[in-house]
Amino acid sequence: MQEIGHYIDGARVAGASGRFADVFNPATGEVQARVALANGDELARAIAGANRAQPGWAATNPQRRARIMIEFVRLLNRDMDKLAEALSREHGKTLPDAAGDVQRGLEVIEFCIGAPHLLKGEYTDGAGPGIDMYSMRQAVGVVAGITPFNFPAMIPMWQFGPAIAAGNAFVLKPSERDPSVPLMLAELMTEAGLPPGVLQVVNGDKEAVDGILDSPGIQGVGFVGSTPIAAYIYARAAQNGKRVQSFGGAKNHMIVMPDADMEKAADALIGAGYGAAGERCMAISVAVPVGEETADRLIAELVPRIEKLRVGPYTLGNDVDYGPLVTAAAKANVLRLVETGIAQGAELVVDGRGFRLQGYENGFFVGPHLFDRVTKDMDIYRTEIFGPVLSTVRAKTYEEALALATDHEYGNGVAIFTRDGDTARDFANRVQVGMVGINVPIPVPLSYHTFGGWKRSSFGDLNQYGGDAFRFVTKTKTVTARWPSGIKEGSAFNFKAMD
Ligand code: NAD
């Protein structure tokens, strides 16, 4: 049985705690590896190494740090297929989707190449007689990241890219469900020239997470995962005086106005609702057609498309639309929620419960489901299902549709499909959700904007990647300087590079 350990001080190390978690092949249901779960001593060793490496790394000029990011991007592209395959094998998503996972992380690393520019401070010449004032942004020190299973390449890169480019060391605690790709990323960073200790990967569970939250050797914590854990991480890390940003779950609505192009809206819902088996924090899980006629037309467009969906293992390449869920427990939870939907009176228009795939009977596959006439009080509306289940809530008016997305406890993403500019503009201004798509179903902002939800989808005040990430991983220091006037003797005439 393959054993997956940690990455400490520039090399892979085996786990020493004697505790392990199973890593499944979700397509077959087989245990394909076991991942070590770190104890306090192993975590302390990783944190100590990061603290030793950080001052030297922060003192390395930002252009040199950026060059390592440039080389890392080249290596990611070189190894794209290998990374995607390793990712699909543990997560279950299709190969093109896995490559997209790497690509969306890579794009944030490309943004980080601009670190020398992004880290420039502010300067006031002559703030008083002979007085200049300037602010600089300095690394906070050692930052830790705790990441979810659903984007094992992208989210670690969203976190460690800005932190490392800004001169921090980083301790990554990836999801124990799919730990291989984060370790491969750390190896590539070393190959790109990153000094040992600047990026540590510690695999583990709650024990390692709590150790991170309580360690005086960690100055900042970034978390992405489910809302109950996000709230816990935020409170405990903040209580311990750390800087913290913590991102949680989602229930993303797509409003379909009567004037929308119904075919395009249906196509969008298929990709956004069922892609990656619904295991995306930006998946659309609620369709909100406005008016009965719109609803009937939308359902009529959706059903044949859903019936054509191809569900299967990633090994079939481009012939599958989505793969299995990540674990048997995730599958059981989705099927349990489907039962509550039926019991609470929703109309199950497409029933995926009987789905079986020959040769993969023990895989964690779930067929696509479509519910109609879902109401606000039902569990399938209130809960994040994280599976291939789309709920339709029929709204009578635009205002009712707007209120649904605004009043839901989650506020990650939302979309509206309409041909009317006024409606779209009003919606974007008034909806209480962090990321809005107009005729775009999954409005994940590009790397030079920032990513973050509102309400119980996010705890903390700065978003992921973009300018916000650089603010999160740096502290401002402001210097007020008075110098007596006078010109020094002597000059230098050589043209010297900074490095
Ligand atoms: P999860 O909350 O179960 O796990 C996330 C991380 O927390 C993992 O590293 C895990 O080891 C750790 N963890 C789990 N239980 C813990 C506990 N009791 N104490 C301390 N640490 C614990 O989430 P998941 O199932 O891996 O990921 C899916 C969730 O992540 C969904 O809710 C999804 O919406 C959310 N998500 C949010 C975003 C976003 O940007 N808002 C992005 C991706 C995923």
Side-chain angles (χ1 to χ4, degrees):
M1 173 80 58
Q2 188 204 349
E3 229 167 68
I4 299 168
H6 315 295
Y7 193 83
I8 297 178
D9 296 341
R12 284 194 188 237
V13 294
S17 70
R19 291 197 309 127
F20 295 90
D22 288 338
V23 178
F24 291 91
N25 177 343
T28 61
E30 287 160 358
V31 176
Q32 57 179 337
R34 53 183 204 158
V35 58
L37 303 175
N39 60 24
D41 289 347
E42 292 168 294
L43 178 70
R45 192 182 141 206
I47 294 174
N51 275 281
R52 272 194 307 276
Q54 195 270 332
W57 177 242
T60 305
N61 85 45
Q63 212 169 3
R64 281 188 162 228
R65 296 199 303 255
R67 282 186 195 135
I68 289 174
M69 295 296 176
I70 294 172
E71 177 62 2
F72 182 50
V73 167
R74 190 186 72 78
L75 297 176
L76 287 170
N77 281 312
R78 182 195 71 188
D79 287 1
M80 182 64 83
D81 292 346
K82 210 161 94 184
L83 289 160
E85 211 274 331
L87 201 159
S88 293
R89 196 168 58 235
E90 290 180 353
H91 178 286
K93 64 175 76 175
T94 66
L95 281 171
D97 206 25
D101 191 327
V102 179
Q103 176 65 26
R104 273 302 181 98
L106 180 159
E107 287 169 14
V108 167
I109 303 296
E110 286 175 334
F111 179 77
C112 294
I113 291 167
H117 174 72
L118 294 162
L119 293 170
K120 283 191 306 197
E122 296 175 328
Y123 190 88
T124 302
D125 176 43
I131 297 178
D132 302 324
M133 197 175 287
Y134 59 96
S135 304
M136 51 181 139
R137 302 207 68 93
Q138 294 190 327
V140 299
V142 178
V143 178
I146 300 151
T147 52
F149 81 85
N150 68 328
F151 284 101
M154 179 181 87
I155 293 178
M157 284 192 266
W158 285 6
Q159 292 191 341
F160 75 64
I164 290 175
N168 297 277
F170 196 87
V171 178
L172 174 65
K173 204 304 283 174
S175 170
E176 60 274 46
R177 314 236 178 283
D178 42 16
S180 287
V181 170
L183 291 165
M184 292 165 77
L185 296 176
E187 282 177 330
L188 291 182
M189 283 291 277
T190 301
E191 189 181 342
L194 191 73
V198 178
L199 176 57
Q200 314 275 53
V201 183
V202 179
N203 279 306
D205 56 3
K206 183 171 169 54
E207 187 174 333
V209 172
D210 287 350
I212 286 170
L213 301 179
D214 294 343
S215 169
I218 301 278
Q219 283 74 48
V221 175
F223 172 86
V224 181
S226 58
T227 287
I229 313 291
Y232 163 76
I233 301 273
Y234 185 70
R236 186 154 169 178
Q239 178 69 33
N240 287 329
K242 299 186 198 316
R243 186 173 282 215
V244 48
Q245 56 174 192
S246 196
F247 298 91
K251 194 78 179 173
N252 305 317
H253 296 56
M254 183 168 130
I255 314 307
V256 182
M257 295 300 291
D259 66 354
D261 179 328
M262 216 50 68
E263 290 188 13
K264 286 216 169 68
D267 286 341
L269 273 170
I270 295 296
Y274 301 99
E279 289 178 324
R280 288 183 183 137
C281 69
M282 289 295 273
I284 298 284
S285 49
V286 185
V288 188
V290 174
E292 288 295 320
E293 200 213 328
T294 313
D296 292 343
R297 281 162 56 215
L298 183 65
I299 298 279
E301 293 286 348
L302 282 172
V303 171
R305 286 171 171 79
I306 296 171
E307 285 168 349
K308 278 199 215 100
L309 282 171
R310 300 159 307 169
V311 184
Y314 77 92
T315 41
L316 296 182
N318 287 327
D319 292 338
V320 276
D321 296 313
Y322 75 80
L325 295 185
V326 68
T327 55
K331 174 176 174 174
N333 188 45
V334 169
L335 294 176
R336 180 187 63 79
L337 280 160
V338 167
E339 295 304 328
T340 70
I342 299 165
Q344 291 169 8
E347 189 184 315
L348 187 57
V349 181
V350 179
D351 184 352
R353 286 174 298 171
F355 180 84
R356 299 279 177 279
L357 196 61
Q358 208 184 355
Y360 296 90
E361 287 79 3
N362 296 323
F364 310 138
F365 295 98
V366 174
H369 293 74
L370 176 67
F371 277 111
D372 194 4
R373 301 184 193 281
V374 174
T375 54
K376 278 201 297 191
D377 50 316
M378 293 179 184
D379 289 358
I380 52 169
Y381 179 71
R382 293 181 14 252
T383 318
E384 179 181 44
I385 301 177
F386 231 51
V389 182
L390 181 64
S391 298
T392 310
V393 181
R394 294 175 174 232
K396 289 191 181 61
T397 62
Y398 162 71
E399 288 295 333
E400 190 187 329
L402 173 70
L404 278 168
T406 289
D407 295 344
H408 202 283
E409 70 165 321
Y410 295 123
N412 216 36
V414 71
I416 186 166
F417 273 60
T418 179
R419 288 189 170 101
D420 184 274
D422 280 343
T423 307
R425 190 163 181 275
D426 182 77
F427 183 78
N429 282 331
R430 287 169 62 205
V431 72
Q432 297 297 301
V433 173
M435 292 171 282
V436 181
I438 298 172
N439 299 317
V440 170
I442 306 186
V444 176
L446 289 173
S447 62
Y448 41 93
H449 286 262
T450 70
F451 182 107
W454 288 11
K455 299 181 284 185
R456 287 183 67 75
S457 293
S458 165
F459 303 83
D461 29 32
L462 290 169
N463 277 354
Q464 306 185 74
Y465 63 78
D468 267 19
F470 276 83
R471 279 185 280 281
F472 180 69
V473 295
T474 57
K475 299 175 290 196
T476 305
K477 184 182 279 176
T478 308
V479 180
T480 306
R482 172 183 281 147
W483 289 102
S485 58
I487 309 287
K488 293 272 185 304
E489 295 287 325
S491 306
F493 292 98
N494 55 334
F495 182 71
K496 195 176 174 315
M498 298 308 281
D499 56 356

